[in-house]
Coordinates of all heavy atoms in Angstrom, one line a residue:
S25 N -4.4 14.0 -1.3 CA -3.5 15.0 -0.7 C -2.1 14.8 -0.9 O -1.2 15.6 -0.5 CB -3.9 15.0 0.8 OG -3.9 13.8 1.4
G26 N -1.7 13.7 -1.6 CA -0.2 13.5 -1.8 C 0.5 12.4 -1.0 O 1.5 12.0 -1.4
E27 N -0.1 12.1 0.2 CA 0.6 11.1 1.0 C 0.5 9.7 0.4 O -0.4 9.4 -0.3 CB 0.0 11.0 2.4 CG 0.1 12.3 3.3 CD -1.1 13.3 2.9 OE1 -2.0 13.0 2.0 OE2 -1.0 14.4 3.7
L28 N 1.6 8.9 0.7 CA 1.6 7.6 0.2 C 0.5 6.8 0.8 O 0.4 6.6 2.0 CB 3.0 6.9 0.5 CG 3.2 5.5 0.1 CD1 3.2 5.3 -1.4 CD2 4.5 4.9 0.7
R29 N -0.2 6.0 0.0 CA -1.5 5.1 0.4 C -1.0 3.7 0.4 O -1.4 2.9 1.3 CB -2.6 5.4 -0.4 CG -3.8 4.6 0.0 CD -4.9 4.7 -1.0 NE -6.0 3.9 -0.8 CZ -6.1 2.6 -1.3 NH1 -5.3 2.2 -2.1 NH2 -7.2 1.9 -0.9
A30 N -0.3 3.3 -0.7 CA 0.0 1.8 -0.7 C 1.3 1.7 -1.5 O 1.6 2.5 -2.5 CB -1.2 1.1 -1.3
V31 N 2.0 0.6 -1.3 CA 3.2 0.2 -2.2 C 3.2 -1.3 -2.3 O 3.0 -2.0 -1.2 CB 4.4 0.8 -1.6 CG1 4.7 0.2 -0.2 CG2 5.7 0.5 -2.5
G32 N 3.5 -1.9 -3.5 CA 3.6 -3.3 -3.6 C 4.0 -3.5 -5.0 O 4.4 -2.6 -5.8
L33 N 4.0 -4.8 -5.4 CA 4.3 -5.2 -6.8 C 3.1 -5.5 -7.7 O 2.1 -6.0 -7.3 CB 5.1 -6.5 -6.7 CG 6.5 -6.3 -6.0 CD1 7.2 -7.8 -6.0 CD2 7.4 -5.5 -6.9
M34 N 3.3 -5.2 -9.0 CA 2.3 -5.5 -10.0 C 3.0 -6.4 -11.0 O 4.2 -6.2 -11.5 CB 1.8 -4.2 -10.7 CG 1.2 -3.3 -9.8 SD -0.5 -3.7 -9.2 CE -1.3 -3.6 -10.9
A35 N 2.2 -7.4 -11.6 CA 2.6 -8.2 -12.7 C 1.5 -7.9 -13.7 O 0.4 -8.5 -13.7 CB 2.6 -9.7 -12.3
G36 N 1.8 -7.0 -14.6 CA 0.8 -6.6 -15.6 C -0.2 -5.8 -14.9 O 0.1 -4.7 -14.2
E37 N -1.5 -6.1 -14.9 CA -2.6 -5.4 -14.3 C -2.9 -6.0 -12.8 O -3.8 -5.6 -12.2 CB -3.8 -5.4 -15.2 CG -3.6 -4.7 -16.4 CD -3.3 -3.3 -16.3 OE1 -3.9 -2.5 -15.4 OE2 -2.4 -2.7 -16.9
S38 N -2.2 -7.0 -12.5 CA -2.5 -7.7 -11.2 C -1.5 -7.5 -10.1 O -0.3 -7.5 -10.3 CB -2.5 -9.3 -11.6 OG -3.4 -9.6 -12.5
K39 N -2.0 -7.3 -8.9 CA -1.2 -7.3 -7.7 C -0.6 -8.6 -7.3 O -1.4 -9.6 -7.5 CB -2.0 -6.7 -6.5 CG -2.5 -5.2 -6.6 CD -3.3 -4.9 -5.4 CE -3.7 -3.4 -5.5 NZ -4.5 -3.0 -4.2
I40 N 0.6 -8.6 -6.9 CA 1.3 -9.9 -6.5 C 2.0 -9.6 -5.2 O 2.5 -8.4 -4.9 CB 2.2 -10.5 -7.6 CG1 3.3 -9.4 -8.0 CG2 1.4 -10.9 -8.8 CD1 4.4 -10.1 -9.0
G41 N 2.3 -10.6 -4.5 CA 3.2 -10.6 -3.3 C 2.6 -9.7 -2.3 O 1.4 -9.5 -2.1
E42 N 3.5 -9.0 -1.4 CA 3.1 -8.3 -0.3 C 2.8 -6.8 -0.7 O 3.6 -6.2 -1.4 CB 4.1 -8.3 0.8 CG 3.8 -7.5 2.0 CD 4.8 -7.8 3.1 OE1 5.0 -8.9 3.6 OE2 5.6 -6.8 3.5
W43 N 1.7 -6.3 -0.2 CA 1.4 -5.0 -0.4 C 1.1 -4.3 1.0 O 0.6 -4.9 1.9 CB 0.0 -4.8 -1.1 CG 0.2 -4.8 -2.6 CD1 0.5 -5.8 -3.4 CD2 0.1 -3.7 -3.5 NE1 0.7 -5.3 -4.8 CE2 0.4 -4.1 -4.7 CE3 -0.3 -2.3 -3.2 CZ2 0.4 -3.2 -5.9 CZ3 -0.3 -1.5 -4.3 CH2 0.0 -2.0 -5.7
N44 N 1.7 -3.1 1.2 CA 1.7 -2.4 2.4 C 0.9 -1.1 2.3 O 1.0 -0.4 1.3 CB 3.0 -2.1 2.9 CG 3.8 -3.2 3.5 OD1 3.8 -3.5 4.7 ND2 4.6 -3.9 2.5
Y45 N -0.2 -0.9 3.1 CA -1.0 0.1 3.1 C -0.8 1.1 4.3 O -0.4 0.6 5.4 CB -2.5 -0.3 3.1 CG -2.9 -1.0 1.7 CD1 -2.5 -2.4 1.6 CD2 -3.5 -0.3 0.8 CE1 -2.9 -3.1 0.5 CE2 -3.9 -1.1 -0.4 CZ -3.6 -2.4 -0.6 OH -3.8 -3.1 -1.6
F46 N -1.0 2.4 4.1 CA -0.8 3.4 5.1 C -1.9 4.3 5.3 O -2.5 4.7 4.3 CB 0.6 4.2 4.7 CG 1.8 3.3 4.5 CD1 2.1 2.9 3.2 CD2 2.6 2.9 5.5 CE1 3.1 2.0 2.9 CE2 3.8 2.1 5.3 CZ 3.9 1.6 4.0
Y47 N -1.9 4.9 6.5 CA -2.9 6.0 6.7 C -2.1 7.3 6.2 O -1.0 7.4 6.0 CB -3.1 6.2 8.3 CG -4.0 5.1 8.8 CD1 -3.5 4.1 9.6 CD2 -5.4 5.2 8.7 CE1 -4.3 3.0 10.2 CE2 -6.2 4.1 9.2 CZ -5.7 3.1 10.0 OH -6.5 2.1 10.4
P48 N -2.9 8.3 6.1 CA -2.4 9.6 5.6 C -1.2 10.1 6.6 O -0.3 10.8 6.1 CB -3.5 10.6 5.6 CG -4.7 9.8 5.3 CD -4.4 8.5 6.1
S49 N -1.2 9.7 7.8 CA -0.2 10.1 8.8 C 1.1 9.3 8.5 O 2.1 9.6 9.1 CB -0.8 9.8 10.2 OG -0.9 8.2 10.4
G50 N 1.0 8.3 7.6 CA 2.2 7.5 7.4 C 2.3 6.2 8.2 O 3.1 5.4 8.0
K51 N 1.4 6.1 9.2 CA 1.4 4.9 10.1 C 0.8 3.7 9.2 O -0.1 3.9 8.3 CB 0.6 5.1 11.3 CG 1.4 6.1 12.2 CD 0.6 6.2 13.6 CE 1.4 7.1 14.5 NZ 2.7 6.6 14.8
K52 N 1.1 2.5 9.6 CA 0.6 1.3 9.0 C -0.9 1.3 9.0 O -1.5 1.4 10.1 CB 1.2 0.0 9.6 CG 2.6 -0.4 9.2 CD 3.0 -1.7 9.8 CE 3.0 -1.6 11.3 NZ 3.6 -2.9 11.8
N53 N -1.6 0.9 7.9 CA -3.0 0.6 7.9 C -3.3 -1.0 7.6 O -4.2 -1.4 8.3 CB -3.5 1.4 6.6 CG -5.0 1.3 6.5 OD1 -5.7 0.3 6.8 ND2 -5.7 2.4 6.1
A54 N -2.6 -1.6 6.7 CA -2.8 -2.9 6.5 C -1.6 -3.5 5.7 O -0.8 -2.8 5.1 CB -4.1 -3.1 5.7
I55 N -1.4 -4.9 5.8 CA -0.5 -5.7 5.1 C -1.2 -6.8 4.4 O -1.9 -7.6 5.1 CB 0.8 -6.2 6.0 CG1 1.4 -5.1 6.6 CG2 1.6 -7.1 5.1 CD1 2.5 -5.5 7.7

């Protein structure tokens, strides 16, 4: 639906460091 779901860093194809996840409402889902 277009809302931000997650943001974090990638090194190649791998996630690294802190990732923040959000509900469609924009509120925190997970870290």
Side-chain angles (χ1 to χ4, degrees):
S25 51
E27 295 88 353
L28 180 64
R29 178 180 175 274
V31 59
L33 292 176
M34 298 286 293
E37 297 297 319
S38 300
K39 291 180 178 180
I40 61 170
E42 183 174 293
W43 273 71
N44 288 271
Y45 294 81
F46 305 91
Y47 288 103
S49 65
K51 293 186 178 295
K52 282 187 297 186
N53 183 325
I55 300 174

